[in-house]
Amino acid sequence: MGLKQRREREKQAMREGILEAARHLARQEGWSAVTIRKIAEQIEYSPPMVYEYFASKEDLHLELLRGGFRLLAAAMQRAFEATEDGEERLLRIGEAYCQFAHMYPELYQMMHGLGGVPLDAQERMLAAQEICQIVLEALTLWTQTRSVTLDDPAEAVETLWAVLHGVVSLYIVDRPQEEDHRAERLAWRTIQSLLTAWSFSLRAS
């Protein structure tokens, strides 16, 4: 490995270390307690060193938001590919969403402006495009197997997201240490009910 490649790897490792330190602090103390100074103490460097990698705390937040949505999209894509059944695919995607929030509650807060984190709505929607596309494709395949047509597929995606976010907010974000699966069960039942309602109403019309 050449010197340039080694330096690039070291820089990337430092960035990842800073991001991990911020997440660790947020998980332990909440996002309102996360500062550049505390991050620097966590990684045993000076604050100016952190600023060499992130110009501001807002830049660091943005990188965490984007990284969180990439992780979530990867989990949802795996759920998408795990089955060929249209309804089960959507149920698995919902389950993956809840499991992500349970595994990374501090990231989920960052991604949705919870826990006192300021949220740039435009950046959030840009970062969320991939997960919206995954759900849209899953919904499209489901409608084809059920011979129904959604009047507004984009609105249907937002409805599913709203349902999952509501479940997560109730059962996971405020109680991340509880080892139960109520969120997954409620998400599963709610998605089933929603799909049944869509099937009935669209066929009836």
Side-chain angles (χ1 to χ4, degrees), residues 35 47 61 64 82 87 114 125 132 151 154 165 176 202:
T35 64
H61 284 178
L64 285 165
E87 181 171 331
L114 304 174
M125 291 311 300
C132 291
D151 293 332
H165 180 58
L202 292 170

Side-chain angles (χ1 to χ4, degrees), residues 12-56:
Q12 184 60 33
M14 176 61 77
R15 283 180 64 87
E16 293 298 329
I18 292 169
L19 294 170
E20 182 59 35
R23 287 175 51 190
H24 176 77
L25 285 167
R27 194 168 190 132
Q28 297 299 315
E29 304 179 33
W31 281 109
S32 60
V34 177
T35 64
I36 295 296
R37 180 183 60 79
K38 283 190 175 182
I39 292 171
E41 291 174 356
Q42 186 81 14
I43 62 173
E44 299 182 339
Y45 278 90
S46 65
M49 177 64 73
V50 177
Y51 283 116
E52 286 188 19
Y53 293 87
F54 297 97
S56 65

Side-chain angles (χ1 to χ4, degrees), residues 3 11 24 33-36 43 50 52 72-73 80 135 145 160-161 183 191 197:
L3 180 60
K11 286 176 63 177
H24 176 77
V34 177
T35 64
I36 295 296
I43 62 173
V50 177
E52 286 188 19
L72 177 56
F80 183 103
V135 176
T145 62
L160 276 172
W161 190 359
I191 292 172

Side-chain angles (χ1 to χ4, degrees), residues 97 108 112 124 131-132 135 154-170 187 190-191 194 198:
Y97 186 98
Y108 191 88
H112 294 83
R124 174 182 179 240
I131 70 166
C132 291
V135 176
E155 183 179 274
V157 170
E158 291 176 355
T159 301
L160 276 172
W161 190 359
V163 165
L164 292 171
H165 180 58
V167 169
V168 165
S169 298
L170 280 173
T190 306
I191 292 172
L194 193 55
W198 277 335

Side-chain angles (χ1 to χ4, degrees), residues 143-196:
T143 60
Q144 291 171 356
T145 62
R146 295 298 190 276
S147 299
V148 297
T149 302
L150 294 170
D151 293 332
D152 189 338
E155 183 179 274
V157 170
E158 291 176 355
T159 301
L160 276 172
W161 190 359
V163 165
L164 292 171
H165 180 58
V167 169
V168 165
S169 298
L170 280 173
Y171 285 99
I172 295 179
V173 171
D174 292 331
R175 294 176 282 181
Q177 303 305 319
E178 292 188 10
E179 293 296 334
D180 63 55
H181 299 282
R182 282 180 293 177
E184 287 92 335
R185 290 197 298 270
L186 181 57
W188 193 282
R189 289 197 296 268
T190 306
I191 292 172
Q192 282 181 318
S193 298
L194 193 55
L195 295 179
T196 299

